[in-house]
């Protein structure tokens, strides 16, 4: 017989922790949406989950990966940052080329021909 | 919002309290979404009544369970999860009509419940008895023997007793209106005080 606890108890036991994790991973703006989608998906999958899932928590067993999905999408979107890493990289590349010309005057600085 | 986050902040962020209002709001959002998607196999709510806190539970077919606090609501919900479906969610909206009718009943504004019932927790003869119990009118009583005759099986007096004792919908399906043949109270799922209280309520009308 299926001994799974009522789904509402899963929400009661894991809801607060899940929201904290969503806030850390995604920031406050997306946390509510991720929380909602996670528990919605978890509820859909719940009857088919193995009995052991209740111990590890339905939100952690990989069948409700909404927070991870949101994280992946967020990674592809530009993030506001204090300094653009590209500027620093370009500066270092330019320094590198200058040092190369200075130390090895005859070196090919354009790369190998295609 | 997405300032660069120092990893040292993570443990602190994980300990940040989450206020009950936020979780309540998210729960309501979950209820709404799950209802729309047809995921709530068992919706429940608890209400206050003169006989203590009552658990009300409904399937899409109708009201499936009314439980007194003495039955332990946690245990009742666990049983619903095992017998019907683990998709059990507190979703008060689905129980609004039931809550209103029970309020009206205790306030003596209502004598007959006008609710769709789901008797799928009972089987066979018990279900048959429970289907017929609402025929005993408000303020009236019958003996277990009377009910056995009513369902066409006059010798099944004990089985009628069992059917009343296992009624999943006390108050709404009026098993409290069934007494012993000698007029004494007989058992009741909510305890003898609850049975007396209901009979007194109905007699006073």
């Amino acid at each position: 017989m299926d001994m799974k606890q009522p789904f509402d108890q899963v929400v009661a036991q894991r809801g607060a922790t899940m929201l904290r994790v969503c806030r850390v991973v995604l920031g406050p703006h997306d946390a509510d949406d991720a929380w909602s989608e996670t528990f919605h998906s978890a509820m859909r999958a719940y009857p088919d989950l193995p009995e052991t899932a209740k111990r590890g928590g339905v939100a952690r067993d990989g069948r409700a990966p909404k927070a991870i999905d949101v994280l992946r999408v967020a990674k592809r979107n530009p993030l506001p940052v204090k300094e653009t890493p590209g500027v620093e990289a370009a500066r270092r590349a330019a320094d590198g080329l200058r040092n190369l010309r200075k130390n090895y005057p005859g070196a090919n600085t354009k790369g190998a021909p295609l | 919002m997405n300032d660069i986050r120092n990893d040292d902040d993570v443990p602190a962020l994980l300990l940040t309290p989450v206020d009950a209002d936020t979780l309540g709001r998210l729960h309501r959002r979950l209820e709404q979404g799950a209802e729309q998607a047809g995921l709530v196999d068992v919706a429940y709510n608890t209400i206050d009544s003169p006989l203590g806190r009552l658990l009300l539970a409904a399937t899409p077919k109708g009201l499936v369970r009314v439980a007194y606090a003495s039955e332990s609501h946690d245990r009742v919900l666990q049983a619903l999860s095992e017998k019907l479906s683990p998709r059990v969610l507190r979703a008060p909206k689905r129980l609004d009509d039931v809550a209103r009718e029970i309020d009206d009943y205790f306030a003596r504004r209502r004598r007959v419940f006008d609710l769709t019932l789901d008797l799928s927790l009972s089987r066979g003869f018990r279900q048959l008895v429970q289907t017929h119990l609402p025929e005993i009118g408000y303020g009236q009583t019958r003996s277990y023997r009377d009910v056995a005759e009513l369902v066409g099986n006059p010798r099944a007096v004990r089985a009628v007793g069992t059917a009343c004792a296992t009624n999943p919908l006390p108050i709404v399906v009026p098993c409290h209106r069934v007494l012993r043949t000698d007029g004494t109270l007989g058992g009741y799922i909510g305890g003898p005080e609850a049975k007396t209280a209901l009979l007194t309520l109905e007699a006073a009308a």
Side-chain angles (χ1 to χ4, degrees):
Chain A
M1 189 195 279
D2 194 344
M3 301 297 280
K4 263 189 213 112
Q5 61 182 341
F7 186 75
D8 205 84
Q9 284 181 16
V10 177
V11 183
Q13 286 160 8
R14 318 248 177 229
T17 305
M18 188 66 202
L19 186 59
R20 287 191 199 102
V21 170
C22 288
R23 281 174 177 173
V24 169
V25 173
L26 304 166
H29 183 72
D30 290 330
D32 284 9
D33 287 347
W35 189 99
S36 297
E37 284 183 46
T38 298
F39 279 105
H40 186 97
S41 307
M43 188 166 177
R44 187 182 290 281
Y46 193 52
D48 302 321
L49 290 182
E51 188 63 24
T52 48
K54 75 178 180 188
R55 287 198 293 275
V58 70
R60 271 190 272 155
D61 89 332
R63 299 215 185 194
K66 283 296 164 191
I68 297 166
D69 287 350
V70 175
L71 181 66
R72 285 187 185 133
V73 170
K75 265 185 164 171
R76 280 182 232 120
N77 292 333
L79 276 177
V81 290
K82 281 175 184 158
E83 258 179 46
T84 315
V87 173
E88 174 69 7
R91 194 175 60 77
R92 285 185 188 204
D95 283 355
L97 269 179
R98 206 177 307 121
N99 288 341
L100 191 66
R101 283 202 198 94
K102 196 163 77 188
N103 298 332
Y104 303 95
N108 171 17
T109 55
K110 305 231 185 276
L114 288 172
Chain B
M1 48 148 250
N2 257 325
D3 231 345
I4 294 175
R5 199 176 290 119
N6 186 338
D7 280 350
D8 294 345
D9 294 343
V10 169
L13 279 165
L14 284 172
L15 290 172
T16 312
V18 173
D19 65 292
D21 285 355
T22 307
L23 284 175
R25 181 172 49 76
L26 286 170
H27 196 287
R28 281 191 294 282
R29 193 168 150 186
L30 176 64
E31 287 159 34
Q32 232 170 20
E35 282 281 20
Q36 273 167 15
L39 293 180
V40 188
D41 296 335
V42 181
Y44 78 91
N45 194 19
T46 49
I47 59 166
D48 283 319
S49 85
L51 297 180
R53 220 152 167 74
L54 297 175
L55 173 83
L56 313 173
T59 65
K61 278 190 240 160
L63 183 65
V64 76
R65 190 74 165 88
V66 174
Y68 289 104
S70 59
E71 296 177 71
S72 168
H73 291 169
D74 281 349
R75 230 176 295 159
V76 172
L77 288 171
Q78 182 65 43
L80 293 173
S81 175
E82 289 167 19
K83 287 180 189 161
L84 299 174
S85 161
R87 280 186 194 134
V88 178
L89 195 69
R90 184 184 282 272
K93 220 169 178 181
R94 183 113 62 94
L95 282 314
D96 275 354
D97 288 347
V98 181
R100 199 175 321 111
E101 293 206 7
I102 288 179
D103 271 353
D104 288 350
Y105 169 80
F106 279 114
R108 295 208 189 95
R109 288 189 301 260
R110 172 174 288 278
R111 288 163 167 247
V112 178
F113 288 102
D114 180 23
L115 298 166
T116 316
L117 307 182
D118 176 356
L119 279 170
S120 60
L121 288 173
S122 304
R123 297 257 179 276
F125 186 71
R126 292 180 189 180
Q127 194 186 63
L128 178 74
V129 171
Q130 290 156 9
T131 309
H132 280 281
L133 286 177
E135 291 167 23
I136 310 171
Y138 186 92
Q140 299 174 17
T141 58
R142 291 284 183 275
S143 68
Y144 292 107
R145 188 176 304 279
D146 292 338
V147 176
E149 282 166 15
L150 179 77
V151 298
N153 200 342
R155 286 190 299 175
V157 179
R158 287 182 71 91
V160 167
T162 311
C164 289
T166 56
N167 174 16
L169 296 165
I171 302 171
V172 175
V173 168
C175 59
H176 58 274
R177 293 176 193 154
V178 187
L179 309 175
R180 288 203 187 118
T181 311
D182 64 6
T184 56
L185 207 55
Y188 187 59
I189 196 163
E193 299 84 6
K195 190 167 185 173
T196 308
L198 292 175
L199 291 171
T200 309
L201 173 94
E202 295 186 7

